[in-house]
Amino acid sequence: MVSVACDTVASGLAGLVVTYVRVALQQGRSRVHRIPGIPSLRRDLRRRFVPRDPVAREGHWGVASALSGGSSAEPDACTGLWSDACDLGDLARLHTRFDAYRKTLKLAAGWSDRWTATWRFGRTPVTCSVRNLAEVEAARSRPVRRFTWRTGQWHRPGLEYLVSTDRHHGFESFEEELLLLMADFVGDLEEALAQPFRLQFLTADGGRVEHTPDFLLLTGSGPWLLDVRPAGRIRPEDEVKFAASAEAALAVGWNYSVVTGWRRRVVRIVDALSAGRRELTDQLGLQDQLLRAAASGPLAFGELVEQCSYPAIARAHALHLLWHRNLGIDMSAPLTDTSLVRLAPDNHLRGGER
């Protein structure tokens, strides 16, 4: 009787915890903190309990469509997308409608001298014209404003570790955390600067508006200025700010994008591969075995690891090689033992490790 009672109480408590987590996450007041050693716990909880807009971000597309009576097929699913050859633009859903708001900006001759950007170095703010934006030593700067922490706020700041920089970087929301994870995965990231500068620009009606972009990514192919906003939360005033940021970036030869979400399956696959992103000792030589097996042509993931001397251990090393792009996987299908894996064309190593 005692054991039955204990089981009943335990089941009841578990149900209460699940209910609390579901309600807290839906209301944006999550108290579920990251547990050391389980970096993807919060992402897993959100995927389990938070209803997602399948058009705005990667999520339970099939579940949402089934509940609404629609098809489970996503119209823009990535087809034939290999993980070793993709970049951030291939993985993200990018918003471009702000181009129509360019006419609301004051872009008369000399506008890049009148528009300004304020950076922060230590405690000292430094202001320069947009024309001189590329001359700033951006890598030495600090966030132009601090992240907010208060009871009841609808977003949750935190820190995300990046292998590319070997340190933690701040984010203000779950969407920004995903952007950092994806930027770390695509391979050529050198530095990620959150809240890099405050842009002050002029509008056609004579107004002066301020906007702080979410990230400035310094990559091997050049700087990439980014804003992160779910598609359903973009307002007309945001479009004006995005258009101004795009003009400022274009003036100095930077890329600019607004990320509204991620293509189907991309988040789950990259999140799974991130389990193997840290340094991994290979005393059994399994990574060489995997590379030699993959050199013969694309193989199913399960078949690839079975060709190694210790298949169970080889799975962890396969994820490591996939994250570091020595191997590539077809991201057009869920990550399973039937997923095709190939040897990366250049089989490059990053950071001196595999």
Side-chain angles (χ1 to χ4, degrees):
M1 291 293 293
V2 174
S3 62
V4 172
C6 290
D7 290 342
T8 302
V9 172
S11 299
L13 289 175
L16 288 174
V17 170
V18 169
T19 301
Y20 168 76
V21 170
R22 180 184 291 112
V23 174
L25 288 174
Q26 287 179 343
Q27 293 181 351
R29 301 185 176 91
S30 172
R31 302 299 184 194
V32 183
H33 295 280
R34 185 183 298 265
I35 298 177
I38 311 180
S40 61
L41 175 62
R42 187 159 62 88
R43 289 192 289 268
D44 292 340
L45 286 171
R46 283 181 177 269
R47 280 196 292 271
R48 285 177 179 273
F49 300 120
V50 180
R52 296 189 177 200
D53 177 3
V55 176
R57 67 173 90 159
E58 189 275 342
H60 298 291
W61 179 273
V63 174
S65 299
L67 290 176
S68 61
S71 170
S72 62
E74 183 180 3
D76 65 341
C78 47
T79 56
L81 179 61
W82 288 92
S83 64
D84 60 299
C86 64
D87 60 24
L88 200 62
D90 297 322
L91 303 179
R93 292 198 184 96
L94 302 179
H95 177 72
T96 59
R97 295 179 184 175
F98 58 82
D99 288 340
Y101 287 79
R102 185 176 182 272
K103 60 186 178 182
T104 65
L105 305 176
K106 190 173 184 179
L107 297 172
W111 68 269
S112 61
D113 289 315
R114 293 187 291 272
W115 290 21
T116 62
T118 301
W119 302 72
R120 182 171 293 277
F121 295 88
R123 297 184 178 181
T124 305
V126 176
T127 301
C128 68
S129 65
V130 165
R131 182 168 61 88
N132 299 321
L133 201 58
E135 300 178 11
V136 177
E137 295 183 55
R140 294 180 49 246
S141 67
R142 306 184 66 177
V144 74
R145 61 178 173 81
R146 295 183 177 181
F147 298 152
T148 58
W149 294 82
R150 64 179 184 274
T151 302
Q153 68 181 23
W154 283 81
H155 61 278
R156 177 181 173 176
L159 296 173
E160 177 76 7
Y161 173 78
L162 302 186
V163 174
S164 302
T165 62
D166 194 27
R167 64 186 178 86
H168 288 82
H169 295 260
F171 59 83
E172 284 194 305
S173 65
F174 174 66
E175 287 76 14
E176 291 188 7
E177 181 185 15
L178 286 180
L179 174 65
L180 288 174
L181 180 68
M182 297 298 173
D184 196 25
F185 172 68
V186 295
D188 63 345
L189 181 66
E190 298 173 358
E191 185 60 87
L193 306 173
Q195 324 295 318
F197 58 84
R198 182 180 298 108
L199 176 68
Q200 296 95 26
F201 61 93
L202 300 175
T203 58
D205 59 5
R208 178 175 290 273
V209 184
E210 293 186 350
H211 174 58
T212 302
D214 291 320
F215 288 101
L216 175 60
L217 303 183
L218 304 182
T219 71
S221 56
W224 198 337
L225 192 64
L226 290 160
D227 277 298
V228 183
R229 193 71 54 86
R233 299 181 185 177
I234 296 178
R235 300 168 297 180
E237 53 266 36
D238 297 324
E239 303 276 19
V240 175
K241 296 176 181 179
F242 296 159
S245 299
E247 290 297 324
L250 181 63
V252 292
W254 294 354
N255 293 314
Y256 176 75
S257 298
V258 178
V259 176
T260 61
W262 304 95
R263 297 187 182 276
R264 187 185 182 191
R265 302 189 181 98
V266 162
V267 171
R268 294 178 184 175
I269 293 176
V270 174
D271 194 23
L273 298 182
S274 69
R277 60 180 172 171
R278 294 179 182 266
E279 184 178 355
L280 189 61
T281 303
D282 184 23
Q283 296 180 345
L284 301 174
L286 296 175
Q287 294 183 19
D288 287 335
Q289 295 178 32
L290 288 165
L291 293 174
R292 286 197 299 269
S296 61
L299 294 173
F301 184 89
E303 182 181 349
L304 177 67
V305 297
E306 285 297 329
Q307 295 191 23
C308 297
S309 53
Y310 298 94
I313 303 176
R315 288 178 176 272
H317 288 278
L319 292 180
H320 184 76
L321 293 176
L322 285 167
W323 175 270
H324 289 281
R325 294 193 164 197
N326 300 121
L327 296 175
I329 196 165
D330 183 7
M331 302 179 74
S332 63
L335 179 59
T336 66
D337 274 3
T338 61
S339 299
L340 289 179
V341 179
R342 73 177 185 182
L343 184 69
D346 53 357
N347 190 23
H348 63 274
L349 304 181
R350 295 189 292 168
E353 67 176 47
R354 279 189 277 191

